[in-house]
Amino acid sequence: MHITDERFADIQMLRYELKDFHQLSLQQKLYTYYLSEATLWGRDITFDQNCRFNLDVRRTLEAVSRHFAPNADPKERQALLTYLKQVWFANGIHHHYGCEKFTPHFSTAFFHQCLQQVPQHELPLSRNEDYPTFAARMERIIFDADFLPKRVNLAEGVDLVKTSACNFYQGVTQDEAEAFYQSKRAVFAATAADNDKDGQPSWGLNSTLVRHGNDIKEEVWHSNGKYGDIIRHITDNLRKARLYAENERQQHLIDLLAAYYESGDLALFDEYSIAWTQNKEGTIDFINGFIEVYGDPLGIKGTWEGIVHYVDSDATRRTKVISDNAQWFEDHSPVSPRFKKPQVTGVSANVVRAAMLGGEEYPATAIGINLPNADWIRAEYGSKSISISNIVEAYNRAAHGNGFYEEFVPDEGVRRWIEQYGDMCDMLHTDLHECVGHGSGRLLPDVDVNALKAYGSCIEEARADLFGLYYMADKKMLELNLLPHAEAYKSHYYTYMLNGLMTQLVRIKPGHVIEEAHMRNRALIARWIMAYSDGQVALEKADGKTALRIADYSVVRRLVDELLAEVQRIKSEGDYDAARQLVETYGIRVEPQLHREMIARYETLNIAPYKGFINPRLTLHTAADGTIDDVLVDYTEDYSAQMLRYSEDYSLPHI
């Protein structure tokens, strides 16, 4: 199997391998298969959540791609197909990472020429919409750069709801949305003691907030509400998977998830999340639902995502060591005792192999996940982490020999460290970040979980990254046999600082600032450390090129210590002003000259800044007697074929 596949725009497509899948039992394979079907069915929800026009654009361009005129201009045709591939990749018309609207490189005249070749019944005209109105609407959505320019806008001093294209709010302002959910939290808090309720539900996680006249109401996402037809397909496949579950706990999980999908009741989602956290049995597990809130500028609404995975038993030894020592990590972190958990509960971690990616996790995906996100559940019941080994392996194999470190790391000694220890340190940092980073610390009593508002996601990612960076350099890593050498951590410190200060800038368009929470987090950490390092960390010119110099790694470790303590304080106390100052000062701005240099140097290497994945295709194999006797894995489907098949097999005319 070839790891790398086609490339377009700023994206390189990769493939991940389902190593040892053939060793699973038939029951386990069928469990994986139907969970994968449930995962693939959520795709259209993610498209619609990212922008209300995304599905219309995708369906229009897919129809156009089926009806190109034989004499269509080849250059324009290729530009339109590239734009369609970008829309597929980002689950919409905005960049998956930078959130800016894509710029089409085909003309409006060519677009209308192609549109006229499509039978009208294949176009997604709205009710009572004629063709000229539809064509004008599509032209504005695709070509007007000022119309819905940002999927998630985090700029200071504007209404984040009204200036974001994401489809979580309709007709309401930021102030109205925040007041709506603050009211729900206040009512719950006032009645919780009397009714012996557990912690606050994640209000608004599974709904669109809509104005109806003078009223503001939620359209809840459940099987009889918004997205209902798709959710019923998801639950149907979850119930098919239930027939092949490995144990009763997995069956119970599916029952709870299906009940939540059917009712939309967030209390049931919390019950499911607790049960999911506590379930540590079986080889196969999954994430399916409205989970992460990065797609909402207010950090409230959950974008749909799905992933199915099975345990990588050989690699899980590392994460088991970390989770078994979670209390030690909590006790010895440099944060104030006020903000530490007296007793770390239920922390577990596995290294897994992805079997199927869906929704927000496809085609671009995380390399590690820690859930649930509700702080009160994490405090009382713990959390569960995964590091996805076959995704990391695909990234690493694609990166080897691409000339990146030769270009950006002029010191041969540092390059040798990176070559020797880089991959293992990257994996270890991911494990520490997910398993004990996100799982560490606690909020002080009565601190609102949304106190940091738009800065909350960045601060949380910085907290987890700093936790991993702090322990990466600790002698405990040697005692636990997680690193082979006392100075191995230096390879990761260097590459982390290099990325945060310099190379991640290639992902930003000229003239733009840093928007995405993970990128802001890395910039914040690296720039803050450099600012307070007294020259021990510096960007210097060598042969006309900017290079990173770290003179004293112990200074970096000390500053990681200090920043972790402060970031945890901000989180625990809900200090909005301090969060705002930290993020705005260090996490957002882009220095134009350095930015131009990074882009120019990257272009000489011909490396795509972003990577994504083509899923393997799972199919049922039937024996001569008609019984299913295997689940086959096929890696030959190309990117466009997969996307068109998903649009055909896992989509409905209306959602």
Side-chain angles (χ1 to χ4, degrees), residues 15 40 48 56 123 221 392 640 654:
R15 296 182 187 273
L40 295 175
D48 188 72
D56 282 354
L123 296 173
W221 311 327
V392 173
S640 294
H654 303 286

Side-chain angles (χ1 to χ4, degrees), residues 6 28 33 40 92 97 198 285 467 545:
E6 73 169 291
Q28 290 172 319
Y33 174 82
L40 295 175
Y97 220 74
D198 289 327
D285 203 354
F467 201 96
K545 296 180 178 180

Side-chain angles (χ1 to χ4, degrees), residues 62 105 225 297 364 383 389 415 435 441 482 492 501 505 537 546 580 623:
E62 288 174 346
H105 296 290
S383 63
S389 63
R415 288 205 303 271
C435 181
L482 294 173
H492 191 72
L501 292 169
L505 293 176
V537 177
T546 304
R580 174 181 170 276

